[in-house]
Amino acid sequence: RPYLYGLALLSWMALATYYLYPAKPPWMIAKEGLMTHDVSRVVHSVWDHVGIEKAARAFEPVNPATAGAKSNYANPVAALPSLHGAFPMFIAIMLWSRRRWVNAALATYTFAMGLTLVYAGEHFVFDILLGWAYAAIAAGTVLYLAKRLRRPTLEQELADEVARRTGPARHASDAGDTV
């Protein structure tokens, strides 16, 4: 359950930020001429190249004649924080283990996703870093609450009751007995 609650918390945190601070992605800022260098949206080119043009059309306005219109399926000014960067970080934190190869894979994927989003012109580096920070806050919050609110199992309750009634366990070495 902490995983589901964490995803919900992360999503709501991002939604609140999108509402309070609607930020444009690099490709949109460049398209409006507000950047000194050109940033092209690589994702649409890739979709066209691999033959799934319909995927690209899902994120375009319903009526292409109305330039700047919103898509029915995407919010173009929801770049800060990057949930595309936040979700892999959240998963990495929640699945972090004692196995180094698992941690290396999680960290590599998270970092590669961040690089890809910047390269593709979908996010600025700050968007990615803020997404990672949101992920850490959400994961830390739910892990803390899960640990704090965890109810003991029936076995633990029984063991605690037995220990309370019988007192501390004694070993032969504790009593000074020798064998």
Side-chain angles (χ1 to χ4, degrees), residues 10 82-93 106 109-111 113-114 132 135:
L10 177 57
S82 168
L83 281 179
H84 291 103
F87 287 144
M89 176 60 83
F90 178 81
I91 293 167
I93 294 169
L106 292 168
Y109 180 79
T110 301
F111 187 70
M113 177 60 80
W132 289 352

Side-chain angles (χ1 to χ4, degrees), residues 22-35:
K24 295 179 181 179
W27 63 264
M28 185 180 284
I29 292 172
K31 188 176 179 182
E32 294 173 357
L34 299 173
M35 292 180 83

Side-chain angles (χ1 to χ4, degrees), residues 51-91:
I52 51 174
E53 297 85 11
K54 289 181 183 179
R57 279 188 253 133
F59 297 98
E60 293 174 357
V62 177
N63 182 0
T66 57
K70 292 183 178 178
S71 164
N72 287 341
Y73 305 107
N75 181 358
V77 291
L80 183 69
S82 168
L83 281 179
H84 291 103
F87 287 144
M89 176 60 83
F90 178 81
I91 293 167

Side-chain angles (χ1 to χ4, degrees), residues 1 19 23 38-39 50 64 72-73 78 96 113 121 124 126-127 131 133 148 177:
R1 290 196 185 250
Y19 178 77
D38 185 38
V39 177
V50 295
N72 287 341
Y73 305 107
W96 203 257
M113 177 60 80
F124 291 104
F126 181 75
D127 303 343
R148 188 95 161 114
D177 300 336

Side-chain angles (χ1 to χ4, degrees), residues 102-126:
V102 171
N103 296 340
L106 292 168
T108 300
Y109 180 79
T110 301
F111 187 70
M113 177 60 80
L115 287 177
T116 301
L117 292 167
V118 172
Y119 173 79
E122 297 294 329
H123 290 283
F124 291 104
V125 173
F126 181 75

